Amino acid sequence: MSRRGRVTVGVLVGVFVLFTLLGWGIDEYTDYLWFSEVDFTQVFTGVLLTKLLLFLAFGAAMALVVAGNLYLAYKLRPLLRPHSAEQATLERYRMILTPRLGTWIAVISLVIGFFAGLSAQSRWTDWMLFRNTQSFGQTDPEFKVDIGFYVFEYPFWRYLLGVGFTAVVLSVLGALAVHYIFGGVRLQGVGDRMTASARAHLTTLVAVFVLLKAVAYVLDRRALLLEQHVSPGLYGAGYTDVNALLPAKEILAYISIVVAVAIIVFSNAVMRNLVWPGVSLALLAISAVAIGGIYPLAVQNFQVKPSLSDKEAPYIQRAINATRDAFDLTGTQSDSYTPKNGAPSATITADTSAQNVRLMDPQLVSQAFTQSQQSRGFYDFGEKLDVDTYTIDGETADYVVGAREINDAKLTAQQRNWLNRHTVYTHGYGLVAAKANEVSATGLPCFVSGFLGTADTTASDDCSASSDQIETTQPRIYYGEESTDYAIVGQTDSSKKVEFDYPKEGSSDASVNYTYDGTGGVPIGSFFRRLVFAIKNTESNFLLSDAVNANSRVMYIRNPRERVEKVAPFLTIDGDPYPAVVDGKIVWILDGYTTSQSYPYSQKINLQTETKDESTGQGSFALARDDVNYMRNSVKATVDAYDGTVKLYEFDDQDPVLKAWNQAFGGDLVIPKAEIPASLAAHFRYPADMFKVQRNLLTKFHVTDPQTFFNGDDFWQVPNAPDSPQSGDKQPPFYLNVKLPDQDGTSFQLTSGVTPANRENMAALISGSYVDGEPQLQVYELPSNTVTPGPVQVHQRMVNNATISQQLALLNRSGQATVLYGNLISLPLADGMLYVEPVYVKSTQANAAPLLQRVLMSYGDGEYVVLESNLTNGLKALAELGKNASTDDDTGTDTGGTDTGTTPPTELSPALSAAAAKVDAAIESLRAAQKSGDFAKQGEALAALDAAMTEFQNAQKASSTTTTPTTAPTAGPTASASAPATATPSASAGG
């Protein structure tokens, strides 16, 4: 290459390196500024220095080992080489390499060291845990070694062994190549094919490799406790492993040491050839096959399989105990519950738990929130809302809540210019909450907070509050789940307010503006920082726009989940963050999990698979595909919605993994559990993803007897979504503020029903709650000799009921609307099982929100089914059915009742015909009101339609026959669902 060519290549390489380093430097600098903003610089510096240390240490070690062996091979070259065609061919390579051999060795070693360093820096978590190992206070059942060795030390030892093997293999290959090029190893010519020095060098490296294999056998003995060996499908060392494979690996370790010594001695001191070293390696390979393979296989086939359950019983017990310990299942309370399939009691209407059953489905009601409470088209509440508890007027109840945020995707083309996106539409406003067990007459939520103006309560069917019942002193949301882009806030002139705050009351287009005065964001008043962020975001407006001034701050990484993941990269964050008002401020609460893959004998699960259900991906994040066998909800994290402050609160103060991480980052990374504010703790709820994992494990590991576990005849399964079982999506758990059997009082808990394996009837109800601030799992197991219908069966029985199906068909008539079913809740109540499923109607019109129109309720084994307009009426109808059943039993009359009334007659009675006509008239009135755009008339028409439907149902009850009617209302109440399609906030509760 010419000099000009070399200069050109050098310049191009230099430019590439410069821009690469510049990009890396800017990313690291802006990361440092972000960590400084949230006051977690110890995480940034700790991770960065650890990565740098590992990169340099392992990179240098690998480079030195390889370079040393290459140089040694060159120094041991023969000075005189026999003449041959082979040597003549190699001479040209020697002439090229020899003048710059040091440079060649350095380049090769640096390249190898660079990639070794890159690999090592990715193991920073293993190194930090290795350095800060903690004791679990428990030992494994086989070696009696503290479990902390497996969790904290074993992964790094394994990695070190892998690095050792890599270094030796690369050294052997490199040394062999150098020996061959410089004549130490020959394929042709007279005399030995290998010089004594080359033989000594290469055989020593091979001996080191064999010694590393001996170390691997030792670690393999411990690894048996982490692998899947125990039948049926459990982890840990089974009978064959303990009685055959463990001794075999110990023997092989000793054999490896002997072989390593034999290789060195026989190849250099005794016979000085490679025959006996080769024989030694062959014997090692044969021993590995015979002792490590054939012998354990024989034990498995001839001793274990004939009496598998007896042989594996102690090891099944080990796996059960370890799994329950690793996933915090040991404290699970198990109680029996025997529901009676009798008639519902008359006292069911006064039961607090029955009254507290949640009707609002967070997945279906989000659109209703958006249409009723958005006021501007760019506001959004996300795909799924959340459930939380608040005490209002001395009464604690659960509420469906959502943060009103700005969705950038909903901005118009005019609004999406750089200035508007980043300096005007910077934040959302208010936490909107609605009662969880109540709806208005139109099917919309009953709002209690988050109003942008004065709540409209003039409509007779409105149940919303007249003002905020959950008060916030700072309702602005700069950090939220919809905050996907950066925002620039702050002004030098306090009178210049450019940030859109909320719409001005009484005006359709005017707004109230705001200037951020908090501490969130990174100051960018200086030219240097503006330049840095201009380069980072490839945006010149950081330098050119007047919107960026001396008081400007840039907010980035604003999603609460991303903020916590960055602050605590060792945590797995729950997929469902939720907002709460704490001491007047809106904060996001997130659950953080510490996990491990190396808890001995514990069952290994895939987090993504175990936490996936019908709600995953619809407002809940899917967890990563990580395989873990230890999990703790060790951290409760909060993110302030106004200033972005991140706090990590210790929740499990006994978790050794969290203690190790806290120690690794200086000892003050997490706030002690004792310092959690009571106002914040009041909003803690049992985390959904942790509950899903524990629930799924309990479907098998509720069985603690090895023999029963081996038989597998008492296993459970999580039922599919009741309204679409064919989809294969699992039914998600539900938050309820209820009192379950044997509980002292009402509490906010996460509940889920499970069914026997491959069957649909109910097997047990699992509940997760906090008792005195500590997590408590409770299992209510139903007797196996009775059959209580499960969620899928109950849904099918309710919707297939003759009268119920007819009424549902009315809701779904003429293809103008779609019936959607909300969360089917199973609640043990009054010695029976109460099932509640809200029925929503969604108009086929564009952007129509589902409206809760009816409530399906069933009691017992499906004999008593009602479909009513609200929860209160449903409970009254069930109580009435129970009363009628008792009367019929007393008189010996068989009611055969399965619904709120008998089937309509073939020829409609005058009362029924009149009621049907009123339904038709009400629907026509509603359609006319929709066409006219008169929202007040729409509300009146909806109320009239609801009254007409109630009258129609009452007329059905009064009927004495059970045949299908020949006539019915000519149009179903599907039109009622189309009202929200054109409704504006002024026509809703909180407009």
Side-chain angles (χ1 to χ4, degrees):
M1 185 181 295
S2 65
R3 181 179 179 184
R4 178 176 295 179
R6 291 196 298 269
V7 171
T8 301
V9 172
V11 170
L12 292 176
V13 171
V15 170
F16 173 78
V17 172
L18 176 63
F19 276 98
T20 300
L21 292 177
L22 178 64
W24 177 81
I26 286 178
D27 286 342
E28 293 301 316
Y29 178 62
T30 53
D31 266 0
Y32 176 77
L33 293 177
W34 186 89
F35 277 100
S36 298
E37 173 205 346
V38 295
D39 198 24
F40 278 92
T41 53
Q42 71 269 39
V43 176
F44 174 83
T45 56
V47 173
L48 182 62
L49 291 177
T50 300
K51 287 183 175 181
L52 184 61
L53 172 66
L54 292 174
F55 177 84
L56 294 177
F58 280 83
M62 184 69 75
L64 288 175
V65 170
V66 173
N69 280 281
L70 293 178
Y71 181 72
L72 182 60
Y74 172 74
K75 292 293 291 184
L76 296 176
R77 71 191 185 283
L79 299 179
L80 297 175
R81 293 173 290 275
H83 293 287
S84 66
E86 177 189 30
Q87 295 302 312
T89 302
L90 293 173
E91 187 62 33
R92 70 182 68 178
Y93 297 105
R94 289 193 283 266
M95 293 177 63
I96 295 173
L97 294 175
T98 302
R100 297 183 179 85
L101 184 65
T103 302
W104 284 109
I105 292 176
V107 170
I108 293 173
S109 301
L110 287 176
V111 170
I112 292 175
F114 176 77
F115 286 104
L118 287 181
S119 172
Q121 73 168 3
S122 66
R123 311 296 293 232
W124 65 270
T125 55
D126 291 341
W127 169 248
M128 279 192 159
L129 291 178
F130 183 82
R131 282 286 309 276
N132 298 278
T133 181
Q134 304 286 319
S135 172
F136 269 71
Q138 293 176 277
T139 59
D140 75 83
E142 181 61 34
F143 300 107
K144 308 305 179 185
V145 174
D146 190 273
I147 291 173
F149 167 81
Y150 298 92
V151 173
F152 301 116
E153 299 179 33
Y154 174 82
F156 193 72
W157 283 121
R158 200 84 211 188
Y159 175 70
L160 279 179
L161 182 64
V163 171
F165 276 122
T166 302
V168 172
V169 169
L170 291 176
S171 297
V172 168
L173 295 176
L176 184 62
V178 173
H179 281 301
Y180 176 71
I181 291 174
F182 287 94
V185 174
R186 299 186 294 275
L187 301 179
Q188 300 176 3
V190 297
D192 295 333
R193 293 291 182 262
M194 185 180 296
T195 63
S197 55
R199 184 174 62 249
H201 184 196
L202 294 175
T203 53
T204 300
L205 289 176
V206 172
V208 172
F209 182 89
V210 175
L211 286 175
L212 289 176
K213 188 62 179 173
V215 177
Y217 281 128
V218 174
L219 287 180
D220 285 346
R221 286 166 51 84
R222 301 293 175 84
L224 289 175
L225 275 61
L226 308 175
E227 299 169 355
Q228 190 173 11
H229 291 288
V230 180
S231 296
L234 298 177
Y235 283 74
Y239 180 90
T240 301
D241 303 304
V242 172
N243 295 279
L245 202 52
L246 282 179
K249 288 187 178 294
E250 184 175 4
I251 293 171
L252 289 173
Y254 289 121
I255 292 176
S256 297
I257 296 174
V258 173
V259 169
V261 174
I263 288 174
I264 295 177
V265 172
F266 281 99
S267 61
N268 297 289
V270 181
M271 305 191 69
R272 297 188 180 183
N273 58 43
L274 299 180
V275 175
W276 284 105
V279 171
S280 300
L281 289 174
L283 289 175
L284 177 60
I286 294 172
S287 300
V289 173
I291 302 175
I294 296 176
Y295 173 61
L297 185 62
V299 172
Q300 179 71 18
N301 288 326
F302 297 109
Q303 291 188 32
V304 178
K305 281 189 176 181
S307 53
L308 186 60
S309 61
D310 293 334
K311 295 291 187 183
E312 294 285 19
Y315 307 102
I316 294 175
Q317 188 68 65
R318 290 180 178 184
I320 293 173
N321 295 341
T323 301
R324 291 175 65 89
D325 285 338
F327 290 96
D328 202 18
L329 301 176
T330 53
T332 302
Q333 293 185 4
S334 184
D335 300 297
S336 60
Y337 177 72
T338 306
K340 299 176 182 177
N341 293 327
S345 169
T347 61
I348 192 173
T349 56
D351 192 286
T352 303
S353 295
Q355 295 172 350
N356 287 350
V357 171
R358 176 168 53 80
L359 298 181
M360 292 282 95
D361 188 326
Q363 286 182 258
L364 296 179
V365 79
S366 176
Q367 283 182 281
F369 267 55
T370 299
Q371 291 195 4
S372 302
Q373 292 289 331
Q374 67 172 355
S375 181
R376 290 292 189 270
F378 45 73
Y379 280 134
D380 195 10
F381 290 89
E383 293 183 277
K384 172 182 167 294
L385 302 180
D386 295 289
V387 183
D388 197 4
T389 57
Y390 289 90
T391 301
I392 298 177
D393 295 332
E395 181 180 350
T396 300
D398 49 343
Y399 294 83
V400 176
V401 299
R404 184 191 289 109
E405 301 186 59
I406 291 180
N407 186 338
D408 290 342
K410 292 188 176 182
L411 295 173
T412 65
Q414 180 179 352
Q415 293 169 333
R416 286 185 61 81
N417 62 66
W418 184 87
L419 200 65
N420 282 333
R421 285 171 52 209
H422 300 291
T423 67
V424 176
Y425 299 109
T426 57
H427 62 278
Y429 194 94
L431 181 81
V432 180
K435 298 177 182 178
N437 62 343
E438 187 177 348
V439 293
S440 68
T442 61
L444 290 170
C446 298
F447 296 102
V448 298
S449 75
F451 306 115
L452 288 173
T454 303
D456 180 10
T457 58
T458 58
S460 60
D461 61 348
D462 201 314
C463 58
S464 296
S466 58
S467 60
D468 281 344
Q469 301 297 299
I470 304 174
E471 296 183 358
T472 57
T473 57
Q474 184 49 268
R476 296 166 184 88
I477 302 171
Y478 284 86
Y479 298 85
E481 292 181 298
E482 301 290 334
S483 304
T484 57
D485 213 339
Y486 63 86
I488 300 174
V489 299
Q491 295 290 330
T492 53
D493 184 359
S494 58
S495 64
K496 185 180 180 181
K497 301 180 184 296
V498 299
E499 299 177 50
F500 177 87
D501 205 27
Y502 57 88
K504 183 176 293 185
E505 189 173 358
S507 174
S508 60
D509 54 2
S511 64
V512 176
N513 291 345
Y514 182 74
T515 295
Y516 184 76
D517 61 357
T519 58
V522 173
I524 53 171
S526 68
F527 175 80
F528 175 73
R529 288 195 178 181
R530 291 162 65 182
L531 176 63
V532 166
F533 283 95
I535 296 174
K536 178 179 177 62
N537 296 285
T538 61
E539 179 54 67
S540 60
N541 279 313
F542 277 92
L543 297 173
L544 303 178
S545 176
D546 293 336
V548 184
N549 54 74
N551 285 352
S552 290
R553 309 172 76 92
V554 59
M555 298 174 173
Y556 53 105
I557 312 179
R558 296 196 290 156
N559 184 289
R561 198 164 183 265
E562 294 177 4
R563 289 178 79 82
V564 177
E565 285 177 333
K566 198 170 185 66
V567 161
F570 51 87
L571 290 178
T572 297
I573 306 302
D574 188 271
D576 189 18
Y578 60 100
V581 175
V582 180
D583 297 328
K585 295 182 178 181
I586 300 175
V587 298
W588 295 90
I589 302 177
L590 305 94
D591 288 278
Y593 308 120
T594 49
T595 60
S596 175
Q597 300 180 350
S598 50
Y599 193 102
Y601 274 101
S602 177
Q603 190 76 3
K604 189 166 288 187
I605 62 160
N606 182 275
L607 279 179
Q608 186 178 96
T609 301
E610 296 301 319
T611 58
K612 185 178 184 299
D613 58 25
E614 187 184 29
S615 65
T616 304
Q618 301 179 27
S620 296
F621 296 92
L623 298 190
R625 297 186 61 85
D626 292 335
D627 293 326
V628 303
N629 62 4
Y630 172 88
M631 188 175 182
R632 285 288 189 277
N633 178 209
S634 54
V635 170
K636 297 285 188 180
T638 63
V639 176
D640 191 296
Y642 184 70
D643 58 29
T645 300
V646 179
K647 293 183 179 180
L648 305 177
Y649 292 96
E650 177 188 46
F651 189 67
D652 187 342
D653 53 6
Q654 303 299 316
D655 179 28
V657 180
L658 181 62
K659 291 179 180 179
W661 283 117
N662 192 41
Q663 180 176 302
F665 290 110
D668 58 353
L669 184 69
V670 297
I671 301 172
K673 185 175 184 178
E675 298 179 20
I676 298 177
S679 56
L680 173 62
H683 292 280
F684 286 167
R685 65 185 194 183
Y686 207 98
D689 286 332
M690 183 74 183
F691 181 83
K692 293 175 189 177
V693 169
Q694 292 177 319
R695 173 196 62 182
N696 293 355
L697 286 169
L698 280 173
T699 58
K700 289 185 177 181
F701 289 93
H702 71 280
V703 178
T704 55
D705 177 68
Q707 185 62 53
T708 307
F709 194 100
F710 181 85
N711 295 335
D713 54 3
D714 193 25
F715 287 168
W716 302 332
Q717 66 183 18
V718 179
N720 289 340
D723 57 331
S724 58
Q726 70 283 352
S727 67
D729 293 330
K730 300 300 182 183
Q731 183 186 31
F734 304 118
Y735 287 104
L736 298 173
N737 187 38
V738 296
K739 176 183 179 296
L740 297 181
D742 299 326
Q743 291 183 349
D744 295 333
T746 300
S747 64
F748 191 54
Q749 48 199 306
L750 195 55
T751 63
S752 176
V754 292
T755 64
N758 303 315
R759 293 170 62 193
E760 296 294 345
N761 57 285
M762 187 77 78
L765 188 77
I766 303 175
S767 165
S769 62
Y770 290 140
V771 178
D772 297 328
E774 298 296 332
Q776 177 65 64
L777 277 174
Q778 201 155 2
V779 177
Y780 296 95
E781 190 168 353
L782 277 64
S784 57
N785 58 352
T786 61
V787 178
T788 301
V792 174
Q793 289 178 324
V794 167
H795 174 79
Q796 292 174 346
R797 291 182 185 182
M798 289 193 297
V799 300
N800 290 328
N801 177 279
T803 304
I804 300 298
S805 62
Q806 182 186 19
Q807 297 181 42
L808 291 175
L810 290 175
L811 296 175
N812 196 26
R813 196 171 178 122
S814 303
Q816 297 178 11
T818 302
V819 172
L820 303 174
Y821 298 98
N823 35 233
L824 194 158
I825 292 171
S826 307
L827 179 66
L829 188 71
D831 294 329
M833 191 70 74
L834 174 68
Y835 304 92
V836 181
E837 185 173 27
V839 179
Y840 290 80
V841 177
K842 179 179 173 63
S843 169
T844 55
Q845 296 184 10
N847 300 320
L851 298 179
L852 197 155
Q853 294 294 305
R854 293 290 182 269
V855 181
L856 263 174
M857 301 180 70
S858 175
Y859 189 87
D861 61 356
E863 181 181 359
Y864 304 96
V865 182
V866 298
L867 179 67
E868 295 292 339
S869 58
N870 55 53
L871 185 63
T872 301
N873 290 346
L875 293 174
K876 289 180 179 178
L878 284 176
E880 185 67 23
L881 286 179
K883 180 180 178 181
N884 293 338
S886 299
T887 303
D888 292 337
D889 289 341
D890 292 338
T891 60
T893 303
D894 182 13
T895 64
T898 58
D899 47 57
T900 59
T902 56
T903 308
T906 302
E907 295 296 333
L908 295 181
S909 65
L912 198 57
S913 298
K918 288 183 180 181
V919 171
D920 289 336
I923 292 174
E924 292 302 323
S925 298
L926 178 58
R927 288 173 176 168
Q930 290 175 332
K931 291 180 180 179
S932 67
D934 191 328
F935 301 120
K937 288 185 178 180
Q938 287 185 36
E940 295 173 359
L942 284 169
L945 176 60
D946 188 71
M949 286 299 301
T950 301
E951 184 177 344
F952 183 78
Q953 292 171 357
N954 292 336
Q956 284 181 318
K957 295 177 182 179
S959 177
S960 60
T961 61
T962 57
T963 56
T964 305
T966 57
T967 61
T970 57
T974 55
S976 65
S978 60
T982 56
T984 63
S986 62
S988 65

